[in-house]
Amino acid sequence: MKNEAVVRRVKLLFWTTLFAAYSVAAAGVVIDVLGKDYRGMSAVTATSVNSPLEKRVAGAAQVAAAYRAGSGAPFATLPTGSSFRVIWPDGSSEYVTVISVSSSDGVRPIPGTQQPAPESPQGPR
């Protein structure tokens, strides 16, 4: 009888922990291209939400590939269908969806999610 109670508690703890971990993971990925892993990438150095679509796609695909490569599970990180937020060097941002993990242009910006760079006292960043 005591063993059954312990097993039930362990199961409850397991499922609660799994749910909490999934909730944190599903909250979203934000990639700031000014981070040390991304700032030198050729496709993102002068990219913003005002750049042509092709340039934004190339930059977002490049940072997604680098993010996958730096993770502990590169084949499970940012799978097809997942979305993430890119913060461009000027501070503007947008959400993109992964449409292919093997293509050099395997992401698509989500329409309506583009946010301009925040204004600072010295002007745009």
Side-chain angles (χ1 to χ4, degrees), residues 16-78:
T16 303
T17 304
L18 183 65
F19 177 75
Y22 179 76
S23 297
V24 169
V29 173
V30 176
I31 301 174
D32 186 348
V33 299
L34 291 178
K36 65 178 180 163
D37 297 334
Y38 311 104
R39 80 176 70 142
M41 295 182 157
S42 61
V44 301
T45 54
T47 306
S48 76
V49 296
N50 298 318
S51 299
L53 178 64
E54 296 80 22
K55 185 169 183 159
R56 294 179 6 237
V57 166
Q62 192 175 43
V63 297
Y67 184 83
R68 276 188 212 97
S71 74
F75 297 108
T77 304
L78 295 179

Side-chain angles (χ1 to χ4, degrees), residues 5-123:
V6 170
V7 169
R8 265 187 288 164
R9 286 184 183 152
V10 169
K11 284 182 182 180
L12 178 64
L13 179 63
F14 170 77
W15 287 109
T16 303
T17 304
L18 183 65
F19 177 75
Y22 179 76
S23 297
V24 169
V29 173
V30 176
I31 301 174
D32 186 348
V33 299
L34 291 178
K36 65 178 180 163
D37 297 334
Y38 311 104
R39 80 176 70 142
M41 295 182 157
S42 61
V44 301
T45 54
T47 306
S48 76
V49 296
N50 298 318
S51 299
L53 178 64
E54 296 80 22
K55 185 169 183 159
R56 294 179 6 237
V57 166
Q62 192 175 43
V63 297
Y67 184 83
R68 276 188 212 97
S71 74
F75 297 108
T77 304
L78 295 179
T80 300
S82 62
S83 297
F84 64 96
R85 181 176 174 214
V86 174
I87 302 175
W88 298 113
D90 69 344
S92 62
S93 66
E94 66 186 315
Y95 284 88
V96 295
T97 298
V98 178
I99 58 170
S100 172
V101 295
S102 60
S103 175
S104 62
D105 62 347
V107 299
R108 288 289 176 259
I110 300 172
T113 63
Q114 292 74 25
Q115 296 293 316
E119 294 292 325
S120 67
Q122 296 84 23

